[in-house]
Amino acid sequence: MGAIIFTEHSFGLTLFERIPFELNTEHFLAVAFGGAILGAGLALILKNGGCIDGSEIFANIIVSELTKHTGKNYGMTSILLAFNGSVYFAAFLLINTNAALMSLLVYVVATTVIDKVTDHFEAIKQVTIITKNPDNIIEEIRTELNKTCTIMDSFGVIAGENKTLICYINYFELQKMKEIIARNKGSFSTVSTIDEILR
């Protein structure tokens, strides 16, 4: 066991000694604070219904098409990772190694901040709506978001008989969902982040 660890340790040293990368305190501070400020700004854009850049639009189009053809909900994480990974790999090979690695670190810091502020913007969201008049909400969700709902009978101590609607959407559809709910007064809704959907 000790020999295996030693071999892996030596291989790691040999590999990283060949990468011409220097990190000083000035660079580290620029990456940390620059990434945090960038992440905070982009998180504000996302929370107000905006989009970060073309990669999110590209991923959203792919997810929408997959959902339309298969009827299943998909997350954007794998698509975004593949797209951004390709960009950074190309920059690493074709441009400057130091600049590419610094940019990758900024991306990691910014994404971490965005995830914390937006509660995992790349994850699927479960919207639960409790209402006495579900028909109009269901129709608007179907026409404007191309989504369907699970409908359950429910009962409130004060309100009496209700319908509970459960719908799964991605973060970029959340703003439209809020608009639909706002137009239909008298409903109560919650939003939850879903880590995994089992089929």
Side-chain angles (χ1 to χ4, degrees), residues 72-175:
K72 298 179 181 179
N73 286 295
Y74 294 90
M76 294 188 295
T77 304
S78 56
I79 298 170
L80 289 172
L81 284 175
F83 181 81
N84 289 316
S86 300
V87 171
Y88 284 112
F89 186 70
F92 184 83
L93 293 178
L94 302 174
I95 307 176
N96 180 277
T97 304
N98 282 15
L101 291 174
M102 287 291 186
S103 298
L104 181 59
L105 286 175
V106 170
Y107 175 77
V108 170
V109 173
T111 303
T112 303
V113 173
I114 293 170
D115 248 21
K116 293 294 183 184
V117 175
T118 62
D119 187 25
H120 307 289
F121 80 100
E122 295 173 350
I124 294 171
K125 303 295 179 182
Q126 175 182 299
V127 181
T128 304
I129 307 167
I130 301 172
T131 179
K132 281 186 171 296
N133 303 298
D135 294 341
N136 196 47
I137 297 176
I138 293 169
E139 179 61 23
E140 290 185 21
I141 290 173
R142 189 183 66 80
T143 56
E144 296 183 31
L145 290 173
N146 194 32
K147 300 287 183 181
T148 186
C149 296
T150 297
I151 308 169
M152 296 183 294
D153 293 322
S154 55
F155 189 89
V157 174
I158 297 174
E161 291 186 1
N162 296 304
K163 294 291 185 183
T164 297
L165 313 178
I166 298 176
C167 185
Y168 296 97
I169 59 176
N170 64 50
Y171 192 88
F172 297 100
E173 295 168 326
L174 186 57
Q175 188 65 29

Side-chain angles (χ1 to χ4, degrees), residues 27-42 105-107 109-110 113:
H27 288 156
F28 182 76
L29 288 174
V31 166
F33 285 98
I37 293 168
L38 176 65
L42 294 177
L105 286 175
V106 170
Y107 175 77
V109 173
V113 173

